[in-house]
Amino acid sequence: MFDLIESIVEFIREQNLGFALVDFYRNEFSDNSGWNPVFPCCLIKFQGLQAAGTFADGTSISERATIIIYVAQRYDPSYDQVSALELADSLYDALADYSNDNYRLSQESVEYVSANYGTDVYQLTITAV
């Protein structure tokens, strides 16, 4: 899974969507995280892996990975050019062109996430099979 997340990070960086930071999520939005924010940012988190089916002996036929992508932006129209929602929308569209030899991605949802840092944060949930 690490290779998949690394591949997604590189893909997003190559899209030149305007992110100042694209990286792995390391609990930056948690209380007392000590994070010094860089905006706009795109942070990718591996959420989990589930078996999509099993053989009679209990081994997995295939797996389904859930990946969360956070898009965060401080948005003050007098200083900032683009909102988090606009960035999330652009990223959602760009992910339709993502390809990987081992995984197929599908976008599941885009949702607003409440954050304690006075920023707009959107969560894109994607699955890889």
Side-chain angles (χ1 to χ4, degrees), residues 37-87:
V38 176
F39 296 112
C41 65
C42 177
L43 303 169
I44 296 96
K45 173 174 81 171
F46 173 72
Q47 182 70 20
L49 182 68
Q50 302 84 28
T54 55
F55 291 109
D57 68 358
T59 58
S60 177
I61 294 171
S62 65
E63 292 86 25
R64 174 184 167 116
T66 303
I67 299 159
I68 306 296
I69 302 176
Y70 296 106
V71 174
Q73 169 68 313
R74 168 201 74 204
Y75 188 62
D76 180 342
S78 35
Y79 298 106
D80 303 308
Q81 299 298 313
V82 64
S83 71
L85 181 56
E86 291 170 304
L87 288 166

Side-chain angles (χ1 to χ4, degrees), residues 1-9 24 44-51 60 62-68 98 100 102-105 126-129:
M1 283 300 117
F2 181 82
D3 291 342
L4 172 62
I5 304 301
E6 201 170 52
S7 170
I8 293 170
V9 166
F24 288 78
I44 296 96
K45 173 174 81 171
F46 173 72
Q47 182 70 20
L49 182 68
Q50 302 84 28
S60 177
S62 65
E63 292 86 25
R64 174 184 167 116
T66 303
I67 299 159
I68 306 296
Y98 175 83
N100 183 299
N102 299 318
Y103 299 97
R104 192 178 73 250
L105 292 187
I126 60 175
T127 56
V129 290

